Amino acid sequence: MGSKYNFTRSDIKMLILSLLSNKDMYGYQIIQELKLLSNSYFSLQEGSLYPLLHSLQSEELINSYWEETASVRKKKYYVLTQKGKRAFAREQKEWEKYFTCINNILEGGEVKNELYS
């Protein structure tokens, strides 16, 4: 990745789950969407993506299926499972709390107690 921040494997997994929460995608499409939506801030290589996808599959957060395309080439699509949807919802709430707390510190504000409920 081309960022100066040290994003964890868990952070990238959450971003993949987020992309898949919108639509089924194949590997290269995930790489391109991540790059596009982050304005090239995130740039995953195939060698980094596929082990993450396999890990998400072994955790039963995603499934995959093959589909033929117009060029008669098969593509492996990844889809979020119900377990994956629940996991993403939990992760998203935690990320929002984290993000709010960091912003409050940076802006000198106060953290509200409802963030921790």
Side-chain angles (χ1 to χ4, degrees), residues 6-38:
N6 292 321
F7 289 93
T8 67
R9 182 177 174 97
S10 178
D11 295 334
I12 299 302
K13 281 183 173 184
M14 183 183 64
L15 296 176
I16 292 169
L17 293 176
S18 176
L19 290 175
L20 293 176
S21 72
N22 296 317
K23 62 183 173 185
D24 299 0
M25 302 175 101
Y26 55 92
Y28 185 71
Q29 185 180 15
I30 293 170
I31 290 170
Q32 292 304 103
E33 287 284 318
L34 191 59
K35 189 174 184 177
L36 176 70
L37 294 173
S38 71

Side-chain angles (χ1 to χ4, degrees), residues 12-96:
I12 299 302
K13 281 183 173 184
M14 183 183 64
L15 296 176
I16 292 169
L17 293 176
S18 176
L19 290 175
L20 293 176
S21 72
N22 296 317
K23 62 183 173 185
D24 299 0
M25 302 175 101
Y26 55 92
Y28 185 71
Q29 185 180 15
I30 293 170
I31 290 170
Q32 292 304 103
E33 287 284 318
L34 191 59
K35 189 174 184 177
L36 176 70
L37 294 173
S38 71
N39 199 25
S40 296
Y41 193 75
F42 296 110
S43 182
L44 273 182
Q45 301 298 316
E46 287 181 27
S48 299
L49 174 66
Y50 288 104
L52 289 169
L53 291 172
H54 291 296
S55 175
L56 290 169
Q57 266 191 296
S58 69
E59 295 174 46
E60 300 178 346
L61 300 179
I62 64 171
N63 279 328
S64 62
Y65 62 91
W66 289 94
E67 190 170 290
E68 288 192 30
T69 64
S71 64
V72 191
R73 183 174 170 221
K74 286 186 176 183
K75 290 184 180 177
K76 188 175 190 178
Y77 282 82
Y78 297 91
V79 58
L80 214 53
T81 63
Q82 286 301 317
K83 183 177 177 181
K85 289 175 185 177
R86 290 189 302 271
F88 173 62
R90 282 190 307 271
E91 290 293 322
Q92 188 175 24
K93 284 180 185 176
E94 286 304 312
W95 182 257
E96 288 169 0

